[in-house]
Amino acid sequence: MESIDLLKKVRKIEIKTRGLSQNIFAGQYHSAFKGRGMAFSEVREYQFGDDVRDIDWNVTARFHHPYVKVFEEERELTVMLLVDVSGSLDFGTHGEQKRDMATEIAATLAFSAIQNNDKIGVIFFSDRIEKYIPPKKGRKHILYIIREMLDFHPQSRRTDLTVALEYLTRVQRRHCTAFVISDFFDDAHVLPFSSEREEGKDTPLQHTLNIANRKHDIVAIQVYDLRAKMLPDIGLMKVVDAETGHEMFIDTSSKKFRMAHTRFFLAREEALGKIFARSRVDWTSIATNEDFTRKLIALFKQRS
């Protein structure tokens, strides 16, 4: 039996994210993510300004008066959420962890999808596929997804973004819109090695993303904590790598060290930006102390 605390958390997220998807994203999601094309709806009499290419000649011949075919957008989409559940998401210094924000973003997208009669599925990933939830419709399905995001315990704490994208291309045979929600702390596959940089080769993530985005519509949403970008001057501090367990002491009183920390973050961001640009993937980056709704609306408008 589920704990009362878990049910309360699920209900709290449902109230917040469903409200956001209804009140803030109404229309934005629909215009940003198109259906599979146009489907025949009906015929009607020709009106001034109609495209002559839409004339139904069979019906026109039968009634001796021009009729045109009317088409409507095939609205139904399949939406996949690729959610990073690696150890690095268990970090936060501004009220909530990166994992909390990732859950809220995923839930908001899920409610936006079902309001538009779209199917929604999830791939939880670390450096392996942790869980696959096939696409379905309905509030009950969304609540199941939220419960899993809140209470999921991965087998691995490491990250491999390429594993998730490769699995998506295999398991999802038909075209879908896929949101990759992660902090993208996967330097082995993001940052180019010196030899690759010299030869102009793609990073592993670049290569996998190119393949995935040719088949699907990939959208990347990065969540990060402000301290990944800037460290405070608080002296000697013990830090632990959440994915490897490696412990070390750092001296935050050193301005040189703090600047190096910021430069590394910016280098990773620059590498990510180039990867997404070359793969023609839309993306946004959201800090845990920011209002994610504003960033998502801006992303949707960019695509409209």
Side-chain angles (χ1 to χ4, degrees), residues 80-86 99 103 106 121-133 144-154 163-164 167:
M80 292 298 302
L81 303 176
L82 279 62
V83 182
D84 186 348
V85 293
S86 63
R99 188 178 307 283
T103 298
V122 181
I123 297 172
F124 292 124
F125 72 93
S126 54
D127 62 351
R128 65 191 72 182
I129 301 303
E130 297 280 356
K131 187 179 183 68
Y132 169 60
I133 302 176
Y144 168 64
I145 289 173
I146 294 174
R147 285 198 303 271
E148 286 297 297
M149 286 191 289
L150 287 172
D151 200 39
F152 189 78
H153 302 285
V163 167
Y167 184 78

Side-chain angles (χ1 to χ4, degrees), residues 26 59 79 84 90 106 121 131-132 138 143 160 172 184 188 210 213 219 226 229 250 268 273 279 292 299:
V59 177
V79 177
D84 186 348
D90 295 324
K131 187 179 183 68
Y132 169 60
L143 295 181
D160 188 336
Q172 192 62 37
F184 290 90
N210 288 342
N213 202 43
V219 181
L226 187 63
K229 184 177 182 179
I250 59 174
R268 183 194 286 114
S279 300
F292 72 82
L299 175 65

Side-chain angles (χ1 to χ4, degrees), residues 240-291:
V240 181
D241 188 315
E243 298 198 2
T244 65
H246 177 70
E247 299 180 1
M248 63 181 297
F249 284 92
I250 59 174
D251 185 6
T252 62
S253 64
S254 168
K255 184 177 179 181
K256 184 177 179 181
F257 179 82
R258 296 198 307 274
M259 290 177 64
H261 176 82
T262 298
R263 282 197 302 270
F264 183 76
F265 176 86
L266 295 176
R268 183 194 286 114
E269 294 297 285
E270 182 183 6
L272 271 175
K274 288 180 179 178
I275 287 172
F276 294 139
R278 290 170 183 166
S279 300
R280 297 182 179 179
V281 168
D282 294 319
W283 77 298
T284 188
S285 184
I286 310 172
T288 54
N289 63 324
E290 289 183 303
D291 178 4

Side-chain angles (χ1 to χ4, degrees), residues 198-218:
E198 292 167 3
E199 298 175 15
K201 294 181 179 179
D202 290 341
T203 64
L205 178 59
Q206 176 83 72
H207 176 71
T208 310
L209 197 55
N210 288 342
I211 296 172
N213 202 43
R214 280 198 293 266
K215 183 176 181 181
H216 304 295
D217 178 13
I218 308 295

Side-chain angles (χ1 to χ4, degrees), residues 15 119 228 236 243:
I15 292 171
K119 294 180 180 178
L236 201 62
E243 298 198 2

